Amino acid sequence: MQQAEGRERLRLKVPSWASVEALHYPVRLSVEQCSSEVAARYKAEVAQRLCPLGGRFVDLTGGFGVDFAFVAQAFSEARYVERNADLVAIVRHNLPLLGLPTAEVCHGDGVAVLQTMSPVDLLLLDPARRDTAGRKTVLLADCEPNVVALHDLLRAKSRWTMLKLSPMLDVAEALRGLPSVTEVHIVAVGGECKDLLLVLGERSPADAPIPIHCIDTPHRFSFTFEEEATAVAPLATTLETYLFEPSPAVLKAGAFRTLCTRFGVKKLHPNTHLYTASEDVPAFPGRRFRIDAVSGFSKKEIRPLTGQKANLAVRNFPQSVGTLRTKLRLLDGGDAYWFATTMGEREHLLVRTHKLPVE
């Protein structure tokens, strides 16, 4: 049953693995916690750019091995380390089937291995994000192992270190705790932020701005906090023809004013992360909508809308989706997208739109 369930769960998450008949699968939690193929391939892309000549790679928290298997393809030497003996046995069986017959599989504690190993080109570390009671943690210092305490050792043992952290972690706080961060990558899959990747290395020049890369297929958007601090976000006085919603990765990064500077859009309200423009912006990193109609929330305005079918979202609005859906007796789904939001001087609006295709 465990094997059948594991294969079914991986069919969508890591489709290239699900087609390997002899693959072994771990317990459900390990499959749920592993990276998706999209996220793992992106890590491999970053690793290849950092280490174009390959070299030596060590994953200190290997888990089910999804990240390891994709990243290791670009390296002449690859070592997987994991302290869970069951996962080690499964990965030892799986790696030859995935084209990595020479990868070294080590059963041990990643920190102990780090302390005694020779320096390598790339380290990958995915600290555990749960405390002893099983509660999720998001602070750097609460992760296991504590990457803040290990910072100097990580730098001494690698040219580059890639840290996979909770997407709930505050990026600015992470940069304060880890002084050698050279790049930040926020990876979203299926409309949800999955990974916050921090790359530790030698920044040149030392005071160079740190690029923040927002990845949400097919969109890729990069900026710096310095750029965001100086950007100007004009506020819309009226809704124009198009409405734009940033991708989850961009929202997580907080590039709210930079979007206006880059794409010529206007913000609806300082705290409403929706934008409008008279022309479509196909390159906008997020969802694009054409506005069909706009109304307020008086009884006269909403009476003709009750009982219709639409996808409903609230953005900077005092009522929840559930409450508003009940009030409007709105059916879920269909091709219409409605946004209850705030514009200008606390003006509450219902913006009815249809979504434009990705270009």
Side-chain angles (χ1 to χ4, degrees), residues 331-354:
L331 301 175
D332 192 19
D335 299 325
Y337 289 79
W338 294 7
F339 292 87
T341 189
T342 301
M343 183 175 171
E345 295 295 327
R346 295 190 174 184
E347 181 184 9
H348 295 153
L349 298 176
L350 183 63
V351 187
R352 295 167 354 242
T353 75
H354 63 268

Side-chain angles (χ1 to χ4, degrees), residues 60-74:
L60 293 171
T61 50
F64 184 32
V66 176
D67 285 332
F68 174 82
F70 282 95
V71 173
Q73 302 285 347

Side-chain angles (χ1 to χ4, degrees), residues 29-69:
L29 181 61
S30 296
V31 176
E32 290 176 346
Q33 291 179 339
C34 75
S35 286
S36 68
E37 184 162 336
V38 171
R41 286 189 183 278
Y42 181 73
K43 294 183 189 72
E45 177 186 326
V46 174
Q48 284 184 293
R49 177 174 52 78
L50 295 173
C51 305
L53 300 179
R56 301 179 64 213
F57 162 56
V58 175
D59 185 340
L60 293 171
T61 50
F64 184 32
V66 176
D67 285 332
F68 174 82

Side-chain angles (χ1 to χ4, degrees), residues 155-304:
R155 292 296 301 117
K157 294 291 186 175
S158 67
R159 285 179 57 217
W160 303 100
T161 294
M162 191 184 300
L163 299 177
K164 176 183 172 183
L165 301 170
S166 168
M168 298 298 293
L169 182 71
D170 181 78
V171 176
E173 179 191 337
L175 298 184
R176 287 191 293 268
L178 298 167
S180 67
V181 174
T182 63
E183 301 175 7
V184 176
H185 302 260
I186 302 171
V187 183
V189 179
E192 181 181 355
C193 285
K194 293 296 186 181
D195 290 341
L196 170 61
L197 304 178
L198 303 184
V199 176
L200 310 184
E202 196 69 38
R203 202 173 352 152
S204 180
D207 60 348
I210 299 170
I212 317 294
H213 304 290
C214 306
I215 311 301
D216 192 350
T217 305
H219 304 292
R220 294 194 175 191
F221 175 80
S222 300
F223 75 109
T224 66
F225 284 149
E226 289 80 358
E227 181 182 8
E228 174 67 13
T230 59
V232 176
L235 297 180
T237 56
T238 184
L239 279 164
E240 299 181 6
T241 308
Y242 295 91
L243 188 75
F244 304 91
E245 181 184 39
S247 74
V250 173
L251 289 173
K252 168 62 185 175
F256 306 129
R257 294 192 295 270
T258 302
L259 291 173
C260 297
T261 304
R262 294 274 192 93
F263 301 103
V265 295
K266 299 174 184 177
K267 216 166 184 289
L268 269 61
H269 181 278
N271 298 324
T272 301
H273 305 315
L274 292 172
Y275 302 77
T276 189
S278 59
E279 300 290 336
D280 186 18
V281 185
F284 187 88
R287 299 195 300 174
R288 300 154 33 246
F289 303 86
R290 186 177 179 92
I291 297 174
D292 298 320
V294 180
S295 68
F297 285 90
S298 67
K299 290 183 179 180
K300 180 180 179 180
E301 290 175 291
I302 67 172
R303 188 177 297 113

Side-chain angles (χ1 to χ4, degrees), residues 306-340:
T306 57
Q308 295 190 34
K309 187 174 186 179
N311 301 279
L312 179 65
V314 297
R315 300 289 183 266
N316 187 26
F317 190 76
Q319 294 180 346
S320 68
V321 168
T323 300
L324 188 55
R325 185 176 292 282
T326 300
K327 180 179 179 180
L328 296 172
R329 290 182 284 169
L330 194 65
L331 301 175
D332 192 19
D335 299 325
Y337 289 79
W338 294 7
F339 292 87

Side-chain angles (χ1 to χ4, degrees), residues 68 72 75-80 95-96 99-105:
F68 174 82
F75 291 84
S76 55
E77 295 182 38
R79 187 182 189 189
Y80 161 101
L95 288 182
L100 293 166
T102 62
E104 180 183 354
V105 177

Side-chain angles (χ1 to χ4, degrees), residues 124-143:
L124 177 60
L125 184 62
D126 179 5
R129 306 169 194 173
R130 295 181 184 272
D131 60 19
T132 54
R135 296 183 295 264
K136 288 186 177 182
T137 60
V138 295
L139 297 178
L140 273 176
D142 293 336
C143 293

